[in-house]
Amino acid sequence: MSMLKTKNNDVEVKFGEDDLLSWWRFIPKVPMIGRNSIRLLKALYYARMKQGSEKALGLGWAIRKNAVADPYGVGIKYEGLEYTYKDIEELSNQVAHVFKGLGYQNGDKVALIMSNRPELMIITAGLTKIGVVVALLNTSQAGEDLDYSLSLVKAKAVVIGSELREVLQKSNFIENLDHVFEVGNHDVFRETKKGAFLFEDLAYLVRQSPVHSVVPKRPIEGKDGCFYVFTSGTTGRPKASVFTHARWMRSYAGFGWAQSYRMTNKDCMYVTLPFYHATAMVICWGVVLANGASLAIGMKFSASSFWQECARYRATSIGYVGELCRYLLARPPGRSDVEHTVVHMIGNGLRPDIWEPFQKRFGVRYVSELYASGEGNVYFSNVLNFPRTVGISVTPYTIVEIDPETELPARGDDGLMRPVTKGRVGLALGPISKRTPFDGYTDSEKTKDSILMDVKKKGDRYFNTGDLMRDLGYRHAQFVDRLGDSFRWKGENVAAVTVESQLNHIDGISAAVAYGVKISNYDGRAGMATIVVNDPDFDLESPIILEKLKAKLPNYAVPVFLRRRANIEATGTFKYNKVSLKRQGFRPSSGEQVYVALPKKSCYQLLTEEVYRDIQVGTYLF
């Protein structure tokens, strides 16, 4: 791929000139557009659904629709078990009856803390059928963080999987709950032994309940809450964003029908991503439901067995995030790489540098890369299967220039923001309107902080995605980086993703996280990366390492420090907590090695306490 360099407000970026779109690149896509025209029109209709819509649509409606159309079609596969759409409909109705009988109604909040398995999906569906808002809690939360999340959404009840019972036992918020229900691991509401549970046995109550449809206390409207989806908390404590029924329908239809791959009820999607995040719960399951297909649930991701599991479930599609793909590529090649039936993948974060290597090695023909967030109102979907793009947006958006000093949008003399031109990088913003609302967070201050005003005209309001995007033309874009993941060093802005990409290309390095750290008496932040090495003989002090980085990166972007770790803690969707890494800085710590590229040296060397002190007092001039 021919590489060009450009600068946008001193933010150096690289892109392939063939990533930019011209009209002639759409000509080969005309037959695909024709075949999918009806699906695309349906997707466009739902994508433009207003927030105030009173149509009784949503997750429960979608399941009921499939149960009527194909009652014995398999809706969920898990650990050798299969559940038809009729099963899912009736079990979720029983769950709805249980909670309605206990007095739960529209707007009440119930938290779910459960690992990936069918009960999570069925309970979620049942609760939404009576208008209860489901708070999907991260299963790794405990202690104060768990109490904080439960109080944030004002949960009236918790449903917990038995595998996480001890986590809730230690919660101080438990005394504020009306009910605490427990569901056995791999239970699917079957008979349980008396006294097996510490908390109320939900399975017992479900078995006593009728299977017919439930009528909520008042009709469910598009503006009503469906889920609370939590951010990963990589920049502080998690935030809870409201996901309405109208927004769920926009995702269900927009991503479900607007794809280059025409999924049918014969398809199966294998998903190992945690279902407490929107990528799995909203996007992946929504796409499956929209097409009456099967969802194969993996309890957790395993790079070593991933493709064997795909083959076992006869999956034709997978759900992904970018780092999952990188982990799979890091595995030694094997027969399982191609001995599967997967031809399609849907998700987000597939970086341009590994896009084509992934497709070529694993034989995946269609990549439905998308851009969306749990709280945002900006959506892109790669409906035409172009490489290295998040696709096209049918909802309004703008990409504006940023000030590299403040990392805030740049404004002209009229006080308004300046859109970037084709090929340039800027901050993606979404206009707030009835068609593209920003539902906000439970914390009103955090909601306020995410809104920018006077973007295109005085008084307008836009949601700040916090993401840098490249305008590819024809309403297509390419994800570049999180705004906070860039740092300034030697008067230049460095994109962390660019540094990470080059480190990951060095044989022996299996994972890399780049960020900036403060050095006394220096402006900006020096580049640092925490790396994981998968080769015991890997020599970080070899001149080859520094040579490779200098050959691929400008001098100011070459990491000054490297911290070697056995592993890097990540969230369930493989996001790294850069806040704690930045806070740790470059000082050597017990059990870890830090290396430094000192001025005029040809290789990295081990950072000792003596060298650390010399750096801080200005002995070395970087």
Side-chain angles (χ1 to χ4, degrees), residues 322-559:
E323 286 305 306
L324 179 149
C325 299
R326 199 176 288 282
Y327 287 144
L328 291 173
L329 272 175
R331 293 279 305 167
R335 292 175 57 184
S336 63
D337 291 356
V338 293
E339 290 182 345
H340 57 77
T341 53
V342 174
V343 295
H344 170 251
M345 57 195 284
I346 184 166
N348 56 78
L350 184 61
R351 298 292 189 181
D353 62 306
I354 67 168
W355 191 297
E356 281 152 324
F358 188 91
Q359 282 191 284
K360 184 177 180 180
R361 175 172 166 182
F362 300 114
V364 181
R365 293 174 56 196
Y366 302 93
V367 180
S368 295
E369 172 81 2
L370 57 90
Y371 173 84
S373 63
E375 68 274 29
N377 65 350
V378 181
Y379 310 92
F380 287 83
S381 182
N382 190 17
V383 301
L384 297 178
N385 203 33
F386 283 121
R388 301 178 298 280
T389 173
V390 295
I392 190 171
S393 174
V394 296
T395 54
Y397 71 95
T398 187
I399 302 175
V400 299
E401 296 179 3
I402 61 166
D403 184 322
E405 295 291 344
T406 63
E407 291 194 339
L408 295 174
R411 294 183 183 270
D413 294 338
D414 56 3
L416 304 179
M417 299 179 191
R418 301 192 295 259
V420 300
T421 55
K422 183 177 177 179
R424 298 286 182 138
V425 173
L427 180 64
L429 308 175
I432 299 173
S433 67
K434 287 185 178 179
R435 291 194 185 279
T436 55
F438 169 46
D439 300 319
Y441 306 101
T442 51
D443 187 326
S444 59
E445 285 300 313
K446 290 177 180 176
T447 299
K448 183 179 178 181
D449 291 343
S450 297
I451 297 174
L452 295 174
M453 299 188 68
D454 303 333
V455 176
K456 287 188 173 182
K457 62 182 181 180
K458 294 292 183 181
D460 62 11
R461 300 165 70 243
Y462 277 68
F463 169 69
N464 180 5
T465 68
D467 290 326
L468 296 174
M469 305 278 276
R470 180 175 298 120
D471 184 354
L472 300 183
Y474 296 89
R475 297 192 64 79
H476 279 69
Q478 187 178 70
F479 177 80
V480 175
D481 215 345
R482 288 290 298 171
L483 185 61
D485 285 347
S486 298
F487 54 92
R488 195 163 180 80
W489 180 239
K490 294 188 178 181
E492 302 281 359
N493 266 36
V494 182
V497 64
T498 303
V499 179
E500 291 165 356
S501 175
Q502 296 305 326
L503 285 165
N504 281 317
H505 272 97
I506 296 175
D507 291 339
I509 296 178
S510 60
V513 183
Y515 47 95
V517 292
K518 189 69 179 172
I519 298 178
S520 297
N521 303 313
Y522 275 87
D523 293 328
R525 293 179 179 272
M528 183 168 185
T530 295
I531 62 172
V532 176
V533 174
N534 57 11
D535 181 356
D537 298 323
F538 187 80
D539 182 11
L540 266 173
E541 297 185 66
S542 168
I544 297 174
I545 306 300
L546 196 54
E547 285 174 11
K548 286 184 175 181
L549 292 174
K550 286 183 175 181
K552 296 292 185 179
L553 296 169
N555 285 335
Y556 60 82
V558 174

Side-chain angles (χ1 to χ4, degrees), residues 178-206:
D178 292 346
H179 295 91
V180 179
F181 297 102
E182 186 173 350
V183 178
N185 196 15
H186 303 178
D187 179 75
V188 197
F189 310 118
R190 291 190 294 269
E191 190 82 28
T192 51
K193 295 180 181 179
K194 187 176 181 180
F197 292 157
L198 178 67
F199 304 112
E200 295 179 73
D201 183 355
L202 182 60
Y204 174 79
L205 297 175
V206 167

Side-chain angles (χ1 to χ4, degrees), residues 91-399:
L91 284 167
S92 59
N93 285 342
Q94 289 178 292
V95 170
H97 278 293
V98 169
F99 281 89
K100 186 179 180 182
L102 293 170
Y104 289 81
Q105 58 183 317
N106 304 69
D108 287 339
K109 288 85 175 178
V110 172
L112 262 64
I113 313 173
M114 193 176 296
S115 55
N116 283 6
R117 48 198 177 94
E119 296 89 344
L120 174 61
M121 326 303 293
I122 292 166
I123 294 168
T124 299
L127 289 169
T128 61
K129 285 182 175 183
I130 57 171
V132 170
V133 188
V134 182
L136 301 166
L137 266 62
N138 189 321
T139 54
S140 65
Q141 284 191 347
E144 291 183 3
D145 285 342
L146 176 59
D147 290 345
Y148 173 79
S149 295
L150 290 172
S151 63
L152 199 61
V153 299
K154 299 179 174 62
K156 290 184 64 176
V158 167
V159 181
I160 191 158
S162 290
E163 69 276 14
L164 297 165
R165 176 195 299 165
E166 293 182 4
V167 173
L168 192 62
Q169 280 182 270
K170 299 175 182 177
S171 169
N172 293 321
F173 191 82
I174 195 169
E175 60 188 26
N176 299 317
L177 298 168
D178 292 346
H179 295 91
V180 179
F181 297 102
E182 186 173 350
V183 178
N185 196 15
H186 303 178
D187 179 75
V188 197
F189 310 118
R190 291 190 294 269
E191 190 82 28
T192 51
K193 295 180 181 179
K194 187 176 181 180
F197 292 157
L198 178 67
F199 304 112
E200 295 179 73
D201 183 355
L202 182 60
Y204 174 79
L205 297 175
V206 167
R207 290 194 301 273
Q208 313 306 311
S209 301
V211 299
H212 60 75
S213 296
V214 184
V215 178
K217 188 170 184 179
R218 65 168 176 78
I220 297 170
E221 300 179 2
K223 64 184 178 182
D224 292 336
C226 184
F227 309 120
Y228 278 120
V229 178
F230 288 77
T231 63
S232 298
T234 55
T235 57
R237 270 189 159 169
K239 300 188 291 286
S241 60
V242 184
F243 214 100
T244 65
H245 284 271
R247 192 166 164 212
W248 188 88
M249 283 302 303
R250 290 196 293 270
S251 297
Y252 160 89
F255 297 124
W257 294 325
Q259 296 178 48
S260 55
Y261 179 67
R262 301 181 70 189
M263 184 175 283
T264 72
N265 62 355
K266 304 298 183 185
D267 284 292
C268 175
M269 183 186 294
Y270 179 55
V271 181
T272 63
L273 304 174
F275 280 85
Y276 54 72
H277 273 309
T279 302
M281 178 61 80
V282 178
I283 305 298
C284 293
W285 197 24
V287 168
V288 167
L289 290 172
N291 295 284
S294 301
L295 174 72
I297 301 173
M299 179 175 282
K300 60 182 180 179
F301 170 70
S302 168
S304 62
S305 63
F306 185 85
W307 294 113
Q308 291 97 318
E309 289 297 291
C310 288
R312 181 162 75 96
Y313 286 115
R314 299 186 298 281
T316 53
S317 179
I318 58 172
Y320 73 90
V321 291
E323 286 305 306
L324 179 149
C325 299
R326 199 176 288 282
Y327 287 144
L328 291 173
L329 272 175
R331 293 279 305 167
R335 292 175 57 184
S336 63
D337 291 356
V338 293
E339 290 182 345
H340 57 77
T341 53
V342 174
V343 295
H344 170 251
M345 57 195 284
I346 184 166
N348 56 78
L350 184 61
R351 298 292 189 181
D353 62 306
I354 67 168
W355 191 297
E356 281 152 324
F358 188 91
Q359 282 191 284
K360 184 177 180 180
R361 175 172 166 182
F362 300 114
V364 181
R365 293 174 56 196
Y366 302 93
V367 180
S368 295
E369 172 81 2
L370 57 90
Y371 173 84
S373 63
E375 68 274 29
N377 65 350
V378 181
Y379 310 92
F380 287 83
S381 182
N382 190 17
V383 301
L384 297 178
N385 203 33
F386 283 121
R388 301 178 298 280
T389 173
V390 295
I392 190 171
S393 174
V394 296
T395 54
Y397 71 95
T398 187
I399 302 175

Side-chain angles (χ1 to χ4, degrees), residues 562-613:
L562 296 176
R563 182 184 295 276
R564 182 171 177 169
R565 276 189 173 178
N567 57 70
I568 307 174
E569 184 180 352
T571 68
T573 49
F574 310 104
K575 294 178 182 178
Y576 298 113
N577 190 340
K578 292 191 178 183
V579 172
S580 62
L581 294 173
K582 290 176 185 178
R583 191 178 297 125
Q584 190 175 9
F586 63 93
R587 184 163 197 156
S589 60
S590 176
E592 294 180 354
Q593 295 174 322
V594 175
Y595 294 80
V596 59
L598 292 173
K600 299 181 181 180
K601 297 293 183 180
S602 61
C603 62
Y604 285 98
Q605 67 180 64
L606 191 65
L607 179 65
T608 62
E609 281 289 343
E610 181 181 357
V611 174
Y612 173 83
R613 288 192 296 270

